[in-house]
Amino acid sequence: MTDFSQAEFGELPPELENMDPDFFASIGVPEAGEEVSFLPAGELVIETHCLLNPSLPLSQSELRPFVEAVRFALGMPEAEVQLSIVNDAEMAQHHEQFKSRIGPTNVLSFPDSDPERPQYIGEIILSADTLVREADLYGQPVLEHFARLLAHAFLHLAGYPHGEEMYSLTEQAVQAATGEGPAR
């Protein structure tokens, strides 16, 4: 078991400060001064292949609890995923290689399975640059748009096609992850 302390998670960004503290406890984030041992429900590998865009108000240590919040809100606490956060140049390479499209996109999801890891559902690649640019373009808080892109990608990995059910679940996850509504 691993011991985690509040110091490892850093301070919460303002958008997450109003979130129900019970939610963070439910995903293993201890309260200040509390030492907790836990095993994560499902493995979550987060890699950043770029310096995070300064407009994205999450440090390396704040990424995990935020992504966990989205995963939990979607009712997928056991799902194992690899998330890579990249810049536009790297995203453009992936976009051309896998979708034969020129230029960056916001997020790509690659459903996968591994008989050795039955909870593994695939990989998500997200461009921090495009995320921040789109949030500005759409007039949305960056964390809200980040939650929306993550939820959208998680749902694709779980087999959801575009449609009303996917959009509804995405918005529920955004509300829960940003403190705007109840978690599932």
Side-chain angles (χ1 to χ4, degrees), residues 147-180:
R148 188 167 284 110
L149 294 178
L150 284 173
H152 188 88
F154 269 103
L155 289 168
H156 272 312
L157 293 180
Y160 284 85
H162 289 139
E164 287 305 313
E165 184 178 17
M166 180 188 217
Y167 303 140
S168 176
L169 290 170
T170 297
E171 291 311 307
Q172 288 175 22
V174 168
Q175 290 174 359
T178 59
E180 304 278 321

PDB file of all heavy atoms in Angstrom, residues 147-180:
ATOM      1  N   ALA A 147     -13.071  18.793 -18.192  1.00  0.00           N
ATOM      2  CA  ALA A 147     -13.951  17.722 -17.718  1.00  0.00           C
ATOM      3  C   ALA A 147     -14.818  17.198 -18.856  1.00  0.00           C
ATOM      4  O   ALA A 147     -15.034  15.987 -18.987  1.00  0.00           O
ATOM      5  CB  ALA A 147     -14.824  18.212 -16.564  1.00  0.00           C
ATOM      6  N   ARG A 148     -15.305  18.096 -19.705  1.00  0.00           N
ATOM      7  CA  ARG A 148     -16.158  17.693 -20.828  1.00  0.00           C
ATOM      8  C   ARG A 148     -15.379  16.799 -21.800  1.00  0.00           C
ATOM      9  O   ARG A 148     -15.870  15.757 -22.244  1.00  0.00           O
ATOM     10  CB  ARG A 148     -16.690  18.933 -21.535  1.00  0.00           C
ATOM     11  CG  ARG A 148     -17.724  18.655 -22.593  1.00  0.00           C
ATOM     12  CD  ARG A 148     -18.456  19.911 -23.053  1.00  0.00           C
ATOM     13  NE  ARG A 148     -19.425  20.296 -22.021  1.00  0.00           N
ATOM     14  CZ  ARG A 148     -19.304  21.381 -21.249  1.00  0.00           C
ATOM     15  NH1 ARG A 148     -18.300  22.200 -21.396  1.00  0.00           N
ATOM     16  NH2 ARG A 148     -20.204  21.646 -20.322  1.00  0.00           N
ATOM     17  N   LEU A 149     -14.156  17.186 -22.139  1.00  0.00           N
ATOM     18  CA  LEU A 149     -13.350  16.385 -23.065  1.00  0.00           C
ATOM     19  C   LEU A 149     -12.986  15.035 -22.458  1.00  0.00           C
ATOM     20  O   LEU A 149     -13.033  13.999 -23.144  1.00  0.00           O
ATOM     21  CB  LEU A 149     -12.084  17.144 -23.475  1.00  0.00           C
ATOM     22  CG  LEU A 149     -12.298  18.407 -24.313  1.00  0.00           C
ATOM     23  CD1 LEU A 149     -10.951  19.081 -24.606  1.00  0.00           C
ATOM     24  CD2 LEU A 149     -13.044  18.110 -25.606  1.00  0.00           C
ATOM     25  N   LEU A 150     -12.627  15.030 -21.179  1.00  0.00           N
ATOM     26  CA  LEU A 150     -12.297  13.763 -20.515  1.00  0.00           C
ATOM     27  C   LEU A 150     -13.508  12.831 -20.478  1.00  0.00           C
ATOM     28  O   LEU A 150     -13.400  11.645 -20.798  1.00  0.00           O
ATOM     29  CB  LEU A 150     -11.797  14.009 -19.096  1.00  0.00           C
ATOM     30  CG  LEU A 150     -10.388  14.517 -18.937  1.00  0.00           C
ATOM     31  CD1 LEU A 150     -10.120  14.861 -17.472  1.00  0.00           C
ATOM     32  CD2 LEU A 150      -9.375  13.498 -19.441  1.00  0.00           C
ATOM     33  N   ALA A 151     -14.652  13.369 -20.080  1.00  0.00           N
ATOM     34  CA  ALA A 151     -15.860  12.541 -20.001  1.00  0.00           C
ATOM     35  C   ALA A 151     -16.216  11.988 -21.375  1.00  0.00           C
ATOM     36  O   ALA A 151     -16.537  10.809 -21.512  1.00  0.00           O
ATOM     37  CB  ALA A 151     -17.026  13.360 -19.434  1.00  0.00           C
ATOM     38  N   HIS A 152     -16.129  12.826 -22.380  1.00  0.00           N
ATOM     39  CA  HIS A 152     -16.426  12.409 -23.747  1.00  0.00           C
ATOM     40  C   HIS A 152     -15.514  11.247 -24.154  1.00  0.00           C
ATOM     41  O   HIS A 152     -15.970  10.233 -24.688  1.00  0.00           O
ATOM     42  CB  HIS A 152     -16.240  13.607 -24.686  1.00  0.00           C
ATOM     43  CG  HIS A 152     -16.684  13.368 -26.083  1.00  0.00           C
ATOM     44  ND1 HIS A 152     -17.974  13.593 -26.503  1.00  0.00           N
ATOM     45  CD2 HIS A 152     -16.005  12.938 -27.174  1.00  0.00           C
ATOM     46  CE1 HIS A 152     -18.080  13.300 -27.780  1.00  0.00           C
ATOM     47  NE2 HIS A 152     -16.890  12.901 -28.220  1.00  0.00           N
ATOM     48  N   ALA A 153     -14.229  11.377 -23.867  1.00  0.00           N
ATOM     49  CA  ALA A 153     -13.268  10.325 -24.221  1.00  0.00           C
ATOM     50  C   ALA A 153     -13.515   9.048 -23.423  1.00  0.00           C
ATOM     51  O   ALA A 153     -13.488   7.947 -23.980  1.00  0.00           O
ATOM     52  CB  ALA A 153     -11.843  10.833 -24.011  1.00  0.00           C
ATOM     53  N   PHE A 154     -13.749   9.172 -22.113  1.00  0.00           N
ATOM     54  CA  PHE A 154     -14.041   7.991 -21.287  1.00  0.00           C
ATOM     55  C   PHE A 154     -15.267   7.255 -21.827  1.00  0.00           C
ATOM     56  O   PHE A 154     -15.278   6.025 -21.886  1.00  0.00           O
ATOM     57  CB  PHE A 154     -14.286   8.382 -19.827  1.00  0.00           C
ATOM     58  CG  PHE A 154     -13.066   8.373 -18.964  1.00  0.00           C
ATOM     59  CD1 PHE A 154     -12.433   9.555 -18.615  1.00  0.00           C
ATOM     60  CD2 PHE A 154     -12.550   7.183 -18.473  1.00  0.00           C
ATOM     61  CE1 PHE A 154     -11.312   9.551 -17.815  1.00  0.00           C
ATOM     62  CE2 PHE A 154     -11.430   7.161 -17.659  1.00  0.00           C
ATOM     63  CZ  PHE A 154     -10.803   8.350 -17.330  1.00  0.00           C
ATOM     64  N   LEU A 155     -16.295   8.004 -22.203  1.00  0.00           N
ATOM     65  CA  LEU A 155     -17.513   7.375 -22.701  1.00  0.00           C
ATOM     66  C   LEU A 155     -17.277   6.665 -24.039  1.00  0.00           C
ATOM     67  O   LEU A 155     -17.827   5.589 -24.271  1.00  0.00           O
ATOM     68  CB  LEU A 155     -18.643   8.399 -22.798  1.00  0.00           C
ATOM     69  CG  LEU A 155     -19.166   8.857 -21.433  1.00  0.00           C
ATOM     70  CD1 LEU A 155     -20.062  10.084 -21.584  1.00  0.00           C
ATOM     71  CD2 LEU A 155     -19.904   7.731 -20.720  1.00  0.00           C
ATOM     72  N   HIS A 156     -16.458   7.254 -24.903  1.00  0.00           N
ATOM     73  CA  HIS A 156     -16.103   6.543 -26.140  1.00  0.00           C
ATOM     74  C   HIS A 156     -15.375   5.241 -25.810  1.00  0.00           C
ATOM     75  O   HIS A 156     -15.642   4.204 -26.429  1.00  0.00           O
ATOM     76  CB  HIS A 156     -15.215   7.406 -27.044  1.00  0.00           C
ATOM     77  CG  HIS A 156     -15.984   8.291 -27.966  1.00  0.00           C
ATOM     78  ND1 HIS A 156     -17.038   7.863 -28.744  1.00  0.00           N
ATOM     79  CD2 HIS A 156     -15.826   9.605 -28.253  1.00  0.00           C
ATOM     80  CE1 HIS A 156     -17.503   8.865 -29.458  1.00  0.00           C
ATOM     81  NE2 HIS A 156     -16.780   9.944 -29.182  1.00  0.00           N
ATOM     82  N   LEU A 157     -14.459   5.278 -24.840  1.00  0.00           N
ATOM     83  CA  LEU A 157     -13.742   4.063 -24.460  1.00  0.00           C
ATOM     84  C   LEU A 157     -14.697   2.998 -23.926  1.00  0.00           C
ATOM     85  O   LEU A 157     -14.448   1.808 -24.084  1.00  0.00           O
ATOM     86  CB  LEU A 157     -12.662   4.366 -23.412  1.00  0.00           C
ATOM     87  CG  LEU A 157     -11.481   5.214 -23.871  1.00  0.00           C
ATOM     88  CD1 LEU A 157     -10.509   5.418 -22.718  1.00  0.00           C
ATOM     89  CD2 LEU A 157     -10.779   4.607 -25.078  1.00  0.00           C
ATOM     90  N   ALA A 158     -15.759   3.446 -23.292  1.00  0.00           N
ATOM     91  CA  ALA A 158     -16.750   2.508 -22.745  1.00  0.00           C
ATOM     92  C   ALA A 158     -17.750   2.049 -23.806  1.00  0.00           C
ATOM     93  O   ALA A 158     -18.659   1.277 -23.502  1.00  0.00           O
ATOM     94  CB  ALA A 158     -17.491   3.156 -21.574  1.00  0.00           C
ATOM     95  N   GLY A 159     -17.597   2.532 -25.044  1.00  0.00           N
ATOM     96  CA  GLY A 159     -18.445   2.059 -26.131  1.00  0.00           C
ATOM     97  C   GLY A 159     -19.620   2.943 -26.486  1.00  0.00           C
ATOM     98  O   GLY A 159     -20.454   2.566 -27.316  1.00  0.00           O
ATOM     99  N   TYR A 160     -19.725   4.119 -25.891  1.00  0.00           N
ATOM    100  CA  TYR A 160     -20.849   5.006 -26.198  1.00  0.00           C
ATOM    101  C   TYR A 160     -20.616   5.724 -27.534  1.00  0.00           C
ATOM    102  O   TYR A 160     -19.562   6.302 -27.741  1.00  0.00           O
ATOM    103  CB  TYR A 160     -21.025   6.079 -25.109  1.00  0.00           C
ATOM    104  CG  TYR A 160     -21.654   5.565 -23.847  1.00  0.00           C
ATOM    105  CD1 TYR A 160     -20.875   4.961 -22.866  1.00  0.00           C
ATOM    106  CD2 TYR A 160     -23.022   5.685 -23.629  1.00  0.00           C
ATOM    107  CE1 TYR A 160     -21.441   4.479 -21.699  1.00  0.00           C
ATOM    108  CE2 TYR A 160     -23.600   5.219 -22.460  1.00  0.00           C
ATOM    109  CZ  TYR A 160     -22.802   4.616 -21.501  1.00  0.00           C
ATOM    110  OH  TYR A 160     -23.367   4.146 -20.353  1.00  0.00           O
ATOM    111  N   PRO A 161     -21.614   5.713 -28.410  1.00  0.00           N
ATOM    112  CA  PRO A 161     -21.533   6.523 -29.630  1.00  0.00           C
ATOM    113  C   PRO A 161     -22.053   7.929 -29.330  1.00  0.00           C
ATOM    114  O   PRO A 161     -22.690   8.161 -28.299  1.00  0.00           O
ATOM    115  CB  PRO A 161     -22.480   5.793 -30.589  1.00  0.00           C
ATOM    116  CG  PRO A 161     -23.529   5.226 -29.677  1.00  0.00           C
ATOM    117  CD  PRO A 161     -22.800   4.858 -28.399  1.00  0.00           C
ATOM    118  N   HIS A 162     -21.796   8.867 -30.250  1.00  0.00           N
ATOM    119  CA  HIS A 162     -22.371  10.204 -30.093  1.00  0.00           C
ATOM    120  C   HIS A 162     -23.887  10.089 -30.070  1.00  0.00           C
ATOM    121  O   HIS A 162     -24.469   9.291 -30.797  1.00  0.00           O
ATOM    122  CB  HIS A 162     -21.946  11.115 -31.242  1.00  0.00           C
ATOM    123  CG  HIS A 162     -20.507  11.489 -31.187  1.00  0.00           C
ATOM    124  ND1 HIS A 162     -19.721  11.543 -32.292  1.00  0.00           N
ATOM    125  CD2 HIS A 162     -19.702  11.807 -30.148  1.00  0.00           C
ATOM    126  CE1 HIS A 162     -18.498  11.892 -31.948  1.00  0.00           C
ATOM    127  NE2 HIS A 162     -18.456  12.049 -30.651  1.00  0.00           N
ATOM    128  N   GLY A 163     -24.504  10.853 -29.214  1.00  0.00           N
ATOM    129  CA  GLY A 163     -25.960  10.847 -29.116  1.00  0.00           C
ATOM    130  C   GLY A 163     -26.398  11.425 -27.792  1.00  0.00           C
ATOM    131  O   GLY A 163     -25.576  11.797 -26.949  1.00  0.00           O
ATOM    132  N   GLU A 164     -27.685  11.503 -27.604  1.00  0.00           N
ATOM    133  CA  GLU A 164     -28.250  12.142 -26.414  1.00  0.00           C
ATOM    134  C   GLU A 164     -27.766  11.507 -25.110  1.00  0.00           C
ATOM    135  O   GLU A 164     -27.487  12.205 -24.143  1.00  0.00           O
ATOM    136  CB  GLU A 164     -29.779  12.145 -26.473  1.00  0.00           C
ATOM    137  CG  GLU A 164     -30.338  13.129 -27.487  1.00  0.00           C
ATOM    138  CD  GLU A 164     -29.834  14.552 -27.268  1.00  0.00           C
ATOM    139  OE1 GLU A 164     -29.853  15.043 -26.116  1.00  0.00           O
ATOM    140  OE2 GLU A 164     -29.397  15.173 -28.250  1.00  0.00           O
ATOM    141  N   GLU A 165     -27.702  10.177 -25.063  1.00  0.00           N
ATOM    142  CA  GLU A 165     -27.252   9.522 -23.825  1.00  0.00           C
ATOM    143  C   GLU A 165     -25.820   9.923 -23.487  1.00  0.00           C
ATOM    144  O   GLU A 165     -25.510  10.257 -22.345  1.00  0.00           O
ATOM    145  CB  GLU A 165     -27.368   8.004 -23.941  1.00  0.00           C
ATOM    146  CG  GLU A 165     -27.002   7.295 -22.641  1.00  0.00           C
ATOM    147  CD  GLU A 165     -27.160   5.784 -22.721  1.00  0.00           C
ATOM    148  OE1 GLU A 165     -27.250   5.224 -23.825  1.00  0.00           O
ATOM    149  OE2 GLU A 165     -27.191   5.175 -21.644  1.00  0.00           O
ATOM    150  N   MET A 166     -24.945   9.927 -24.507  1.00  0.00           N
ATOM    151  CA  MET A 166     -23.556  10.319 -24.270  1.00  0.00           C
ATOM    152  C   MET A 166     -23.476  11.773 -23.812  1.00  0.00           C
ATOM    153  O   MET A 166     -22.742  12.099 -22.877  1.00  0.00           O
ATOM    154  CB  MET A 166     -22.718  10.121 -25.530  1.00  0.00           C
ATOM    155  CG  MET A 166     -21.266  10.523 -25.346  1.00  0.00           C
ATOM    156  SD  MET A 166     -20.384  10.495 -26.898  1.00  0.00           S
ATOM    157  CE  MET A 166     -18.817   9.893 -26.342  1.00  0.00           C
ATOM    158  N   TYR A 167     -24.216  12.649 -24.470  1.00  0.00           N
ATOM    159  CA  TYR A 167     -24.173  14.064 -24.116  1.00  0.00           C
ATOM    160  C   TYR A 167     -24.699  14.304 -22.705  1.00  0.00           C
ATOM    161  O   TYR A 167     -24.147  15.107 -21.948  1.00  0.00           O
ATOM    162  CB  TYR A 167     -24.938  14.904 -25.138  1.00  0.00           C
ATOM    163  CG  TYR A 167     -24.428  14.730 -26.550  1.00  0.00           C
ATOM    164  CD1 TYR A 167     -25.299  14.658 -27.617  1.00  0.00           C
ATOM    165  CD2 TYR A 167     -23.065  14.611 -26.823  1.00  0.00           C
ATOM    166  CE1 TYR A 167     -24.837  14.488 -28.920  1.00  0.00           C
ATOM    167  CE2 TYR A 167     -22.589  14.445 -28.118  1.00  0.00           C
ATOM    168  CZ  TYR A 167     -23.477  14.376 -29.155  1.00  0.00           C
ATOM    169  OH  TYR A 167     -23.017  14.194 -30.437  1.00  0.00           O
ATOM    170  N   SER A 168     -25.747  13.598 -22.334  1.00  0.00           N
ATOM    171  CA  SER A 168     -26.314  13.733 -20.999  1.00  0.00           C
ATOM    172  C   SER A 168     -25.326  13.262 -19.925  1.00  0.00           C
ATOM    173  O   SER A 168     -25.114  13.940 -18.916  1.00  0.00           O
ATOM    174  CB  SER A 168     -27.613  12.940 -20.909  1.00  0.00           C
ATOM    175  OG  SER A 168     -28.131  12.978 -19.612  1.00  0.00           O
ATOM    176  N   LEU A 169     -24.714  12.099 -20.155  1.00  0.00           N
ATOM    177  CA  LEU A 169     -23.724  11.586 -19.198  1.00  0.00           C
ATOM    178  C   LEU A 169     -22.513  12.503 -19.110  1.00  0.00           C
ATOM    179  O   LEU A 169     -21.958  12.719 -18.022  1.00  0.00           O
ATOM    180  CB  LEU A 169     -23.287  10.171 -19.592  1.00  0.00           C
ATOM    181  CG  LEU A 169     -24.336   9.076 -19.413  1.00  0.00           C
ATOM    182  CD1 LEU A 169     -23.868   7.780 -20.067  1.00  0.00           C
ATOM    183  CD2 LEU A 169     -24.634   8.868 -17.931  1.00  0.00           C
ATOM    184  N   THR A 170     -22.107  13.054 -20.240  1.00  0.00           N
ATOM    185  CA  THR A 170     -20.973  13.988 -20.248  1.00  0.00           C
ATOM    186  C   THR A 170     -21.282  15.187 -19.372  1.00  0.00           C
ATOM    187  O   THR A 170     -20.462  15.589 -18.537  1.00  0.00           O
ATOM    188  CB  THR A 170     -20.649  14.435 -21.692  1.00  0.00           C
ATOM    189  OG1 THR A 170     -20.245  13.293 -22.453  1.00  0.00           O
ATOM    190  CG2 THR A 170     -19.547  15.480 -21.708  1.00  0.00           C
ATOM    191  N   GLU A 171     -22.461  15.762 -19.534  1.00  0.00           N
ATOM    192  CA  GLU A 171     -22.811  16.949 -18.746  1.00  0.00           C
ATOM    193  C   GLU A 171     -22.946  16.620 -17.262  1.00  0.00           C
ATOM    194  O   GLU A 171     -22.568  17.430 -16.410  1.00  0.00           O
ATOM    195  CB  GLU A 171     -24.074  17.610 -19.299  1.00  0.00           C
ATOM    196  CG  GLU A 171     -23.859  18.254 -20.652  1.00  0.00           C
ATOM    197  CD  GLU A 171     -22.623  19.159 -20.709  1.00  0.00           C
ATOM    198  OE1 GLU A 171     -22.485  20.069 -19.861  1.00  0.00           O
ATOM    199  OE2 GLU A 171     -21.784  18.953 -21.612  1.00  0.00           O
ATOM    200  N   GLN A 172     -23.459  15.430 -16.930  1.00  0.00           N
ATOM    201  CA  GLN A 172     -23.516  15.021 -15.524  1.00  0.00           C
ATOM    202  C   GLN A 172     -22.112  14.948 -14.930  1.00  0.00           C
ATOM    203  O   GLN A 172     -21.879  15.382 -13.804  1.00  0.00           O
ATOM    204  CB  GLN A 172     -24.205  13.663 -15.387  1.00  0.00           C
ATOM    205  CG  GLN A 172     -25.685  13.692 -15.619  1.00  0.00           C
ATOM    206  CD  GLN A 172     -26.289  12.295 -15.592  1.00  0.00           C
ATOM    207  OE1 GLN A 172     -25.734  11.360 -15.032  1.00  0.00           O
ATOM    208  NE2 GLN A 172     -27.450  12.145 -16.212  1.00  0.00           N
ATOM    209  N   ALA A 173     -21.171  14.401 -15.697  1.00  0.00           N
ATOM    210  CA  ALA A 173     -19.790  14.286 -15.218  1.00  0.00           C
ATOM    211  C   ALA A 173     -19.155  15.662 -15.059  1.00  0.00           C
ATOM    212  O   ALA A 173     -18.441  15.911 -14.088  1.00  0.00           O
ATOM    213  CB  ALA A 173     -18.965  13.426 -16.172  1.00  0.00           C
ATOM    214  N   VAL A 174     -19.429  16.565 -15.992  1.00  0.00           N
ATOM    215  CA  VAL A 174     -18.886  17.924 -15.905  1.00  0.00           C
ATOM    216  C   VAL A 174     -19.400  18.603 -14.640  1.00  0.00           C
ATOM    217  O   VAL A 174     -18.634  19.202 -13.879  1.00  0.00           O
ATOM    218  CB  VAL A 174     -19.251  18.756 -17.155  1.00  0.00           C
ATOM    219  CG1 VAL A 174     -18.944  20.238 -16.950  1.00  0.00           C
ATOM    220  CG2 VAL A 174     -18.532  18.212 -18.385  1.00  0.00           C
ATOM    221  N   GLN A 175     -20.696  18.477 -14.393  1.00  0.00           N
ATOM    222  CA  GLN A 175     -21.280  19.101 -13.204  1.00  0.00           C
ATOM    223  C   GLN A 175     -20.687  18.528 -11.928  1.00  0.00           C
ATOM    224  O   GLN A 175     -20.350  19.269 -11.000  1.00  0.00           O
ATOM    225  CB  GLN A 175     -22.800  18.930 -13.208  1.00  0.00           C
ATOM    226  CG  GLN A 175     -23.483  19.747 -14.270  1.00  0.00           C
ATOM    227  CD  GLN A 175     -24.973  19.462 -14.356  1.00  0.00           C
ATOM    228  OE1 GLN A 175     -25.512  18.641 -13.627  1.00  0.00           O
ATOM    229  NE2 GLN A 175     -25.643  20.144 -15.269  1.00  0.00           N
ATOM    230  N   ALA A 176     -20.528  17.228 -11.875  1.00  0.00           N
ATOM    231  CA  ALA A 176     -19.980  16.598 -10.670  1.00  0.00           C
ATOM    232  C   ALA A 176     -18.508  16.945 -10.487  1.00  0.00           C
ATOM    233  O   ALA A 176     -18.071  17.256  -9.378  1.00  0.00           O
ATOM    234  CB  ALA A 176     -20.167  15.085 -10.744  1.00  0.00           C
ATOM    235  N   ALA A 177     -17.730  16.910 -11.556  1.00  0.00           N
ATOM    236  CA  ALA A 177     -16.287  17.141 -11.447  1.00  0.00           C
ATOM    237  C   ALA A 177     -15.947  18.590 -11.153  1.00  0.00           C
ATOM    238  O   ALA A 177     -14.904  18.876 -10.560  1.00  0.00           O
ATOM    239  CB  ALA A 177     -15.589  16.690 -12.720  1.00  0.00           C
ATOM    240  N   THR A 178     -16.823  19.501 -11.539  1.00  0.00           N
ATOM    241  CA  THR A 178     -16.539  20.922 -11.309  1.00  0.00           C
ATOM    242  C   THR A 178     -17.296  21.477 -10.109  1.00  0.00           C
ATOM    243  O   THR A 178     -17.263  22.675  -9.862  1.00  0.00           O
ATOM    244  CB  THR A 178     -16.871  21.763 -12.562  1.00  0.00           C
ATOM    245  OG1 THR A 178     -18.254  21.602 -12.879  1.00  0.00           O
ATOM    246  CG2 THR A 178     -15.999  21.380 -13.734  1.00  0.00           C
ATOM    247  N   GLY A 179     -17.990  20.589  -9.390  1.00  0.00           N
ATOM    248  CA  GLY A 179     -18.698  21.030  -8.189  1.00  0.00           C
ATOM    249  C   GLY A 179     -20.032  21.678  -8.464  1.00  0.00           C
ATOM    250  O   GLY A 179     -20.610  22.311  -7.596  1.00  0.00           O
ATOM    251  N   GLU A 180     -20.550  21.513  -9.673  1.00  0.00           N
ATOM    252  CA  GLU A 180     -21.811  22.134 -10.057  1.00  0.00           C
ATOM    253  C   GLU A 180     -23.029  21.252  -9.770  1.00  0.00           C
ATOM    254  O   GLU A 180     -24.140  21.676  -9.955  1.00  0.00           O
ATOM    255  CB  GLU A 180     -21.793  22.452 -11.548  1.00  0.00           C
ATOM    256  CG  GLU A 180     -20.629  23.317 -11.970  1.00  0.00           C
ATOM    257  CD  GLU A 180     -20.878  24.781 -11.707  1.00  0.00           C
ATOM    258  OE1 GLU A 180     -22.010  25.228 -11.912  1.00  0.00           O
ATOM    259  OE2 GLU A 180     -19.937  25.458 -11.308  1.00  0.00           O
TER     260      GLU A 180
END
